[in-house]
Amino acid sequence: MAAILHNRKFLGEYKYREIVIPNGISTIVPQDLFDRVQNKLAKNRKAPARHKAEDDYLLTTKLFRGTCGALMVG
């Protein structure tokens, strides 16, 4: 899926080895939409809690601290 979102062929850009031909094929996605997707992907790549939401522990979201009521995590 990520390869599709980064593919510049949707902008009509044809590339063969080192040669890039703009408008070499028909455009499928407008430039502004492609740029917005690239910005969103860059923003999501830097997300601090990207791998934090995995439930690897049996009692995750089930144990609470008695003193303050906060969730206990592994």
Side-chain angles (χ1 to χ4, degrees):
M1 182 70 147
I4 292 172
L5 296 176
H6 292 289
N7 194 342
R8 298 192 57 88
K9 287 182 183 176
F10 292 113
L11 294 173
E13 195 172 278
Y14 179 74
K15 182 178 179 182
Y16 179 72
R17 294 187 184 171
E18 309 303 318
I19 302 169
V20 177
I21 302 172
N23 299 323
I25 54 178
S26 57
T27 303
I28 298 173
V29 176
Q31 180 72 42
D32 64 329
L33 177 61
F34 187 81
D35 292 338
R36 284 187 290 161
V37 169
Q38 299 311 307
N39 289 337
K40 188 75 159 176
L41 289 172
K43 181 181 174 185
N44 288 346
R45 190 176 308 122
K46 297 177 184 177
R50 191 165 88 177
H51 298 290
K52 203 172 188 180
E54 297 174 5
D55 289 343
D56 292 334
Y57 301 99
L58 180 65
L59 297 176
T60 299
T61 70
K62 309 246 185 312
L63 290 177
F64 297 90
R65 292 188 59 183
T67 56
C68 64
L71 284 173
M72 294 181 75
V73 294

